[in-house]
Amino acid sequence: MAAVSSLSFSAIGQSSGDRKLNVSSARYLASNSEGFRFRTSFLYQSVGLRASSTASASVARCMSTGTDVPPTVSETKSSFLKAYKRPIPSVYNTVLQELIVQQHLMRYKKTYQYDPVFALGFVTVYDQLMEGYPSDEDRDAIFQAYINALKEDPQQYRVDAQKLEEWARGQTSSSLVEFSSRDGEVEAILKDIAERAGSKGSFSYSRFFAVGLFRLLELANATEPTVLEKLCAALNIDKRSVDRDLDVYRNLLSKLVQAKELLKEYVEREKKKREERSESPAANEAVKKCTGEYQYLS
C-alpha cells in the first residue's frame, strides 16, 4: 500500500470515460519530452490572462486586482477541506492537494483571467484523475468544493467545458483551424485567445490550456500532425510548448492507472482477508459441532 499512498501529482491517469485523452493518438503531438517531473514544473506554471475588448460575453472575467489581498495557499486548502470533510482515498487525495496548490498560484496571479479552454483542460484532468472514484456523488461534491475554494464557479467550468466539447464534435480538421473566419460563441472565445496571445504580455500559456487544446483536436477527430501546427499558428501559441507539455502529459497518463490497479489489488486482498477471517469462526464452530455430535453418538 506504500506505493499507492506515496503517489504524487506526477501520476495523472487515463480514464475510459467520454473525456479520456487517447494516449496513442496523443503521441503525434508529443515528440520532445523533457525529463522534468509534472509535480514541480506543472506546480509552478502560472496562468495570466488579461481582459480584451473583443472577448465573448461567455468568457468570465475572474481577475485579481492590485488592491486585492489574495488568500494564502493554506487558506485555499483549508477552504477545500472545510467544504468537503469526508475522507478521500490517498491515491486521489495526494494528487488533489498538489493540484489545488498549483491552481491557486495560477488563480491569484495578478493578470489571471478565466478561460474556457483552460477550464476544459482542468475538467479533463480532473475527470481522468477521479475516474473510478467509489461514489459519483462524492466525486461531484469534491469538484464543487475544489473550485469554490478557489473562489470560482464550478458550474461555469462544467458548462464551458461541455460547450467546447459539443462544438468540437461538430468540427473537422479544416473548420477547427479556420475559426477566425466564422462567427459563433466558441469562435469568439478562440479569437479572443488569439488576439491576447498575439500581444506581448497579455497571454500566459499553461499546461491546462494545452490539455484543453488537445481535447478539442481529439473530439474533432483531427489526428493529422499538421492540424495542431495550424491551430497553434491561428491561436498565436508556441507549438513547441504544446508538444512538450502533451508529451509530459501523455507519459503520465498511465501512472495513475498503475496506481489505481495497485489500490484495486490492495482492496481485493483486504476484502479476501476479511472474508477468510469471518469464515474461520464459522468453520471452527462447525468442526466443534460435528465433533460434539460424533462424541454424543459414540
Side-chain angles (χ1 to χ4, degrees):
M1 188 59 181
V4 175
S5 62
S6 63
L7 177 70
S8 75
F9 187 41
S10 61
I12 290 184
Q14 182 181 10
S15 74
S16 59
D18 183 55
R19 279 197 180 83
K20 179 178 70 175
L21 289 180
N22 188 292
V23 176
S24 60
S25 66
R27 284 176 182 151
Y28 84 90
L29 298 176
S31 58
N32 300 313
S33 175
E34 294 185 10
F36 54 83
R37 297 185 64 192
F38 210 40
R39 177 173 182 172
T40 54
S41 62
F42 199 124
L43 184 62
Y44 295 103
Q45 184 75 30
S46 297
V47 175
L49 307 173
R50 292 194 303 188
S52 170
S53 59
T54 61
S56 167
S58 67
V59 180
R61 305 302 183 187
C62 302
M63 300 183 66
S64 45
T65 67
T67 58
D68 291 337
V69 179
T72 63
V73 171
S74 61
E75 288 171 338
T76 295
K77 293 177 70 175
S78 178
S79 296
F80 169 67
L81 295 173
K82 287 178 181 178
Y84 187 83
K85 298 179 180 180
R86 298 187 64 181
I88 300 175
S90 60
V91 68
Y92 302 99
N93 190 48
T94 302
V95 183
L96 282 171
Q97 291 301 316
E98 294 189 21
L99 197 63
I100 200 168
V101 170
Q102 61 91 10
Q103 194 162 349
H104 170 97
L105 299 176
M106 297 178 190
R107 168 69 178 87
Y108 291 106
K109 189 175 180 179
K110 289 183 178 180
T111 54
Y112 174 79
Q113 176 185 306
Y114 171 87
D115 186 292
V117 177
F118 172 89
L120 175 60
F122 172 76
V123 168
T124 300
V125 170
Y126 180 85
D127 287 349
Q128 288 180 335
L129 165 64
M130 302 300 283
E131 175 71 17
Y133 198 79
S135 166
D136 291 344
E137 183 179 351
D138 286 342
R139 183 171 61 239
D140 292 339
I142 292 169
F143 182 85
Q144 296 277 334
Y146 181 103
I147 300 299
N148 282 328
L150 292 162
K151 301 186 186 302
E152 291 192 311
D153 185 353
Q155 183 178 2
Q156 184 178 26
Y157 268 74
R158 288 293 186 187
V159 168
D160 285 345
Q162 182 178 0
K163 181 192 306 175
L164 264 63
E165 287 183 330
E166 291 175 353
W167 176 85
R169 289 189 182 96
Q171 303 305 309
T172 64
S173 298
S174 298
S175 65
L176 189 65
V177 300
E178 294 172 357
F179 64 85
S180 61
S181 64
R182 302 195 314 275
D183 293 328
E185 187 175 6
V186 175
E187 286 83 356
I189 292 171
L190 298 178
K191 289 176 187 178
D192 175 58
I193 291 171
E195 181 178 333
R196 289 184 287 108
S199 304
K200 291 184 178 180
S202 63
F203 179 83
S204 182
Y205 168 84
S206 76
R207 291 194 175 97
F208 280 138
F209 182 89
V211 174
L213 197 63
F214 178 68
R215 183 62 178 152
L216 294 177
L217 292 171
E218 186 181 46
L219 291 171
N221 293 317
T223 57
E224 304 87 351
T226 56
V227 179
L228 176 63
E229 184 176 357
K230 292 177 180 178
L231 183 58
C232 287
L235 289 169
N236 296 311
I237 303 296
D238 183 4
K239 180 179 178 293
R240 291 173 300 178
S241 296
V242 176
D243 281 338
R244 178 198 63 204
D245 295 333
L246 289 177
D247 186 47
V248 172
Y249 193 71
R250 177 183 61 81
N251 290 333
L252 298 171
L253 291 180
S254 64
K255 293 186 179 180
L256 187 59
V257 173
Q258 296 170 1
K260 288 180 180 179
E261 284 299 320
L262 288 174
L263 180 62
K264 182 180 179 181
E265 292 173 5
Y266 171 81
V267 171
E268 289 177 350
R269 285 198 305 270
E270 291 301 306
K271 181 179 179 182
K272 186 176 181 180
K273 289 178 182 178
R274 287 196 299 270
E275 290 175 350
E276 290 174 349
R277 286 194 294 266
S278 63
E279 290 173 357
S280 293
N284 293 335
E285 187 63 30
V287 170
K288 290 179 180 179
K289 183 177 180 181
C290 290
T291 302
E293 291 175 352
Y294 175 76
Q295 291 174 346
Y296 176 77
L297 293 173
S298 298

